[in-house]
Amino acid sequence: MQNNAKGIYLAILATGLFSISAVMAKTAADAYHILQILFFRQLVVFASSLPALARSYPIGLKTQYPGIHGLRILGAFVALSCSIWAVSVLPLSTAVTLSFVQTFFVALLAVSLLGETIGLHRIMAILAGFVGVVIVMQPSVDSLENMNTFIPLVGALGAAVAVVCVRKLTQTESTATLLLYQSVFVGLMAGVPLFWFWATPNLADLGFLIAMGCIAALAQWLGIMSLRHGEANVVSTIKYSDLLFAAVLGFMVFGEIPAQSTILGGLVITGSALYLLHREKRAR
């Protein structure tokens, strides 16, 4: 049975952990290539999926939808690499804000590919969140001239494709299977070019990269579980709370002080997420 409320709670926790991982990636990008950072993340995700896979071997390696797995892996690679790239060249709050267009991509793909319905209250929550994003961005011609701003937009499209594919696959595949396929093939896609970009980390940096991978792996597990319980266009709305995490962490780590527009937009975004949660509780 659908349990959107539980999916929302899991999504909030996953979003917070992803924000911490993004801060760590932004820090590591000063010394290492984005593909090397992604490679370490996927390496830890692969290791985390091995115990669950061992319990279900060889059934855990089987899949009914290899084509959907392939599309999901491609979307995940684009999303993960662009997310690290974006935070390395843009302010953390800007990169996070622009990634919010993922919600609209998910809503469109979920309706057309999964047959999900979007009721009036969900539409209101999505639109309210979008208004909050516009308030934060304060879009102008000058802001569009920076080509780096398109990086998180491309990543958002890849993330939306991955989310919709995961929503389909969670009906028949185990969480370990989903993470195994992604960690192996995304890791290979990131690892092959490292022949040209590899930089050997010292012991402290190695521990930092592994810790980042552990946090990202836990966030991915929680993210998949949230999609197992909740509908894609509901769970994706919780991504708006990422802006609040980014504002707090950006101030604590990088000394970024949120503008008044960021605070106002963050309140609108949070309000839309809480309204959605309230509606799901009433529905139950």
Side-chain angles (χ1 to χ4, degrees):
M1 295 179 60
Q2 292 292 339
N3 191 344
N4 284 329
K6 188 172 183 179
I8 288 172
Y9 288 125
L10 291 171
I12 292 175
L13 183 56
T15 299
L17 292 175
F18 273 127
S19 298
I20 295 175
S21 177
V23 170
M24 297 177 73
K26 182 177 180 67
T27 303
D30 293 335
Y32 302 100
H33 194 274
I34 59 172
L35 292 180
Q36 185 170 351
I37 298 173
L38 178 58
F39 177 78
F40 271 95
R41 283 181 53 173
Q42 296 309 112
L43 189 63
V44 175
V45 172
F46 171 73
S48 69
S49 65
L50 289 180
L53 180 65
R55 291 192 297 268
S56 60
Y57 181 84
I59 299 177
L61 293 176
K62 297 180 180 179
T63 176
Q64 301 180 29
Y65 304 101
I68 298 179
H69 268 292
L71 184 61
R72 181 246 177 160
I73 290 168
L74 178 61
F77 175 76
V78 172
L80 293 171
S81 57
C82 285
S83 66
I84 298 174
W85 189 8
V87 298
S88 68
V89 297
L90 293 171
L92 186 61
S93 58
T94 301
V96 168
T97 301
L98 292 176
S99 69
F100 286 157
V101 295
Q102 172 188 338
T103 298
F104 308 102
F105 291 140
V106 169
L108 294 175
L109 293 174
V111 170
S112 59
L113 299 180
L114 300 181
E116 294 184 3
T117 59
I118 303 180
L120 176 61
H121 294 285
R122 293 183 187 176
I123 293 176
M124 292 174 60
I126 292 175
L127 291 178
F130 176 74
V131 170
V133 170
V134 172
I135 293 174
V136 175
M137 286 185 63
Q138 295 184 340
S140 63
V141 175
D142 293 337
S143 64
L144 295 178
E145 290 178 352
N146 184 1
M147 295 301 295
N148 289 335
T149 59
F150 289 95
I151 299 173
L153 300 182
V154 175
L157 178 58
V161 171
V163 165
V164 173
C165 290
V166 167
R167 179 58 187 160
K168 176 68 175 179
L169 292 170
T170 51
Q171 309 306 310
T172 58
E173 316 283 312
S174 68
T175 302
T177 301
L178 292 173
L179 289 180
L180 176 69
Y181 277 100
Q182 174 177 317
S183 60
V184 170
F185 290 102
V186 173
L188 288 174
M189 295 171 71
V192 171
L194 287 183
F195 178 80
W196 295 277
F197 303 119
W198 177 264
T200 302
N202 56 38
L203 187 60
D205 287 351
L206 180 61
F208 184 84
L209 292 171
I210 292 176
M212 179 191 64
C214 291
I215 294 174
L218 179 57
Q220 283 188 267
W221 274 88
L222 293 173
I224 290 177
M225 292 304 297
S226 70
L227 289 168
R228 190 180 298 280
H229 290 283
E231 296 181 27
N233 52 49
V234 174
V235 171
S236 64
T237 306
I238 305 305
K239 182 175 174 62
Y240 288 134
S241 63
D242 198 9
L243 180 57
L244 299 180
F245 290 113
V248 173
L249 293 174
F251 174 75
M252 295 176 60
V253 180
F254 304 110
E256 299 175 354
I257 300 177
Q260 292 183 354
S261 59
T262 302
I263 297 174
L264 178 59
L267 291 175
V268 175
I269 290 168
T270 304
S272 67
L274 292 176
Y275 175 75
L276 179 63
L277 179 59
H278 172 69
R279 290 297 307 177
E280 293 303 325
K281 283 186 175 181
R282 291 192 60 183
R284 292 183 63 190

